[in-house]
Amino acid sequence: MINSKNFSNSYEREKRIIKKKDFSAILRLRPINKTSHFSLYIRSNQSRKNRFGIIVAKRFVPRSVTRSTIKRIARELFRHSFFFPYIDCVVRLYKPINIKSDPATTTMLKYLLRSELRELLKINDLINKITLNFNYIIKN
């Protein structure tokens, strides 16, 4: 019998940032990268795992379907990204995406979100910034 747990698409709890104190500690830092709607905060950690959190405020995205779509796309892009110095990463939406008169989700909206989040999570640029910050923290 095949264990279906091994083939699950869920995002493991140990790879998520859940607690408010963890979010607060990361958000005290300056954003590493910004796009037109999102900002990215990164902090190195000692847990030997990359952890991810996302903040999508209801005031910026009134529909829960759209908020869930944003979270799902962001998690999937982060899951396929590889970072060597283990990090805590938070993506924060800081501008409205769509309004209530627009459809909740469309193929075009998903495409635009995916491309903007991909731009936010550029691997090569981020690794250079992370190692510079990591080296700066170690020296001081």
Side-chain angles (χ1 to χ4, degrees):
M1 183 171 196
I2 296 174
N3 185 359
S4 62
K5 192 173 184 177
N6 294 338
F7 297 106
S8 173
N9 287 330
S10 66
Y11 203 69
E12 300 169 20
R13 185 175 176 88
E14 60 197 21
K15 292 184 179 181
R16 289 189 242 160
I17 299 172
I18 298 171
K19 296 182 180 178
K20 184 179 178 178
K21 69 173 187 157
D22 293 336
F23 275 105
S24 298
I26 296 168
L27 292 176
R28 274 189 231 122
L29 304 172
R30 289 186 181 182
I32 295 286
N33 200 1
K34 277 189 162 190
T35 59
S36 58
H37 292 95
F38 297 97
S39 57
L40 177 69
Y41 299 84
I42 291 179
R43 179 184 71 168
S44 62
N45 70 25
Q46 303 299 325
S47 67
R48 311 290 285 162
K49 291 192 189 276
N50 291 321
R51 298 188 317 155
F52 183 73
I54 184 161
I55 301 169
V56 181
K58 191 175 184 178
R59 67 183 171 163
F60 294 137
V61 185
R63 292 188 175 151
S64 63
V65 175
T66 312
R67 286 194 305 272
S68 296
T69 301
I70 293 168
K71 292 176 187 178
R72 196 170 30 254
I73 290 170
R75 276 191 212 109
E76 190 63 22
L77 287 173
F78 184 79
R79 195 166 66 96
H80 291 296
S81 304
F82 298 102
F83 300 102
F84 170 59
Y86 297 106
I87 60 167
D88 290 340
C89 178
V90 173
V91 172
R92 182 181 203 176
L93 178 72
Y94 67 90
K95 277 188 184 175
I97 292 270
N98 67 355
I99 54 177
K100 273 194 169 181
S101 62
D102 294 341
T105 59
T106 60
T107 307
M108 189 59 166
L109 178 66
K110 289 179 184 178
Y111 174 77
L112 293 172
L113 287 170
R114 199 170 285 117
S115 62
E116 187 172 345
L117 286 166
R118 218 179 260 131
E119 179 73 24
L120 185 73
L121 293 170
K122 276 187 178 176
I123 306 301
N124 295 332
D125 294 342
L126 284 179
I127 289 177
N128 292 335
K129 289 179 182 179
I130 292 167
T131 28
L132 287 174
N133 287 344
F134 189 70
N135 291 337
Y136 177 75
I137 291 169
I138 290 174
K139 288 178 185 176
N140 295 331

